[in-house]
Amino acid sequence: MVDLASLPPQLRRAVDDEMRRLRAGDGVLYGDMTSEEAHDLESADGRALPPDGALDRFIAHATVPPADVAASDLAGYTLVGVVPEGPGLDGPWSSVKRVYRRPDGVLVMLHEWAYVAEGGGVLGVRELMNASVRHGTARCPAQFAIRRAPTGQTVSELRWFTDAKVFTLSVAQDVLADGGKDHGKAWMLRLAEAIE
């Protein structure tokens, strides 16, 4: 985690541009999705490998086992499919997106990237963090955002960073639209904290 002021000038400009794109309010970052992000969201269930055996295949070829979701709400949702990612097409894979459908039909995705296993790293800018997620015994910095595509599609995202992975929990709806009664920001935080 670094402060914006400590970044080199070129990187600071890039983060400044991102911060201008996001509009902060009430502990939420609001922004727009790129057309690529919108396409990924709208086609997620169609691009996922069928769940039968896909997760087992990912586990067999993964650089790091995927997180355990058995204690979370995800365990009770329908697993639509799995999207393994890089660095090689046949593995070993360091990233996986699991695509679920809630009982009400809303798409929920959990993406995790084992950046340490790839020899990579992540840079978190303190000014862009507006939440935290308990992961094991640690509190991890997190970002909660609601973003909209030009098509009107909305996604609520909670992204958090551990010492080994980056997690992104995406819900294909504005979780604050109904006042967050049933599936709001607090629900997303609880769901995230139940993932091990």
Side-chain angles (χ1 to χ4, degrees):
M1 290 299 292
V2 298
D3 295 314
L4 181 61
S6 69
L7 295 174
Q10 186 174 1
L11 190 51
R12 189 175 325 130
R13 280 192 297 277
V15 174
D16 275 338
D17 288 346
E18 176 72 4
M19 290 175 72
R20 272 192 292 280
R21 219 172 48 89
L22 298 168
R23 298 167 299 284
D26 301 327
V28 181
L29 294 173
Y30 295 94
D32 299 321
M33 280 186 263
T34 65
S35 57
E36 181 180 285
E37 290 168 329
H39 174 73
D40 284 351
L41 175 66
E42 292 164 358
S43 64
D45 52 353
R47 291 181 303 113
L49 300 175
D52 297 339
L55 192 55
D56 292 335
R57 184 168 178 245
F58 174 81
I59 291 168
H61 297 284
T63 55
V64 174
D68 183 358
V69 299
S72 76
D73 287 356
L74 295 176
Y77 297 168
T78 302
L79 179 61
V80 175
V82 178
V83 182
E85 298 172 342
L89 291 176
D90 296 321
W93 295 310
S94 56
S95 177
V96 66
K97 181 185 297 176
R98 290 179 254 186
V99 182
Y100 297 89
R101 281 224 183 263
R102 272 192 338 218
D104 60 2
V106 172
L107 202 64
V108 178
M109 293 164 287
L110 175 64
H111 180 257
E112 58 185 282
W113 174 42
Y115 66 91
V116 170
E118 269 191 35
V122 293
L123 176 68
V125 178
R126 201 172 317 280
E127 288 85 351
L128 288 174
M129 300 299 124
N130 59 0
S132 68
V133 170
R134 182 185 45 76
H135 190 87
T137 60
R139 288 257 6 113
C140 302
Q143 182 184 81
F144 177 71
I146 296 177
R147 299 183 311 135
R148 287 181 175 77
T151 60
Q153 177 67 44
T154 303
V155 65
S156 300
E157 288 183 342
L158 180 64
R159 177 173 290 133
W160 68 100
F161 310 87
T162 71
D163 291 341
K165 292 183 179 183
V166 176
F167 292 89
T168 304
L169 182 62
S170 303
V171 180
Q173 72 175 160
D174 180 343
V175 299
L176 303 180
D178 68 352
K181 285 187 310 198
D182 299 320
H183 294 106
K185 181 179 178 182
W187 163 76
M188 287 186 74
L189 287 166
R190 281 193 310 276
L191 198 158
E193 292 185 347
I195 296 168
E196 298 183 18

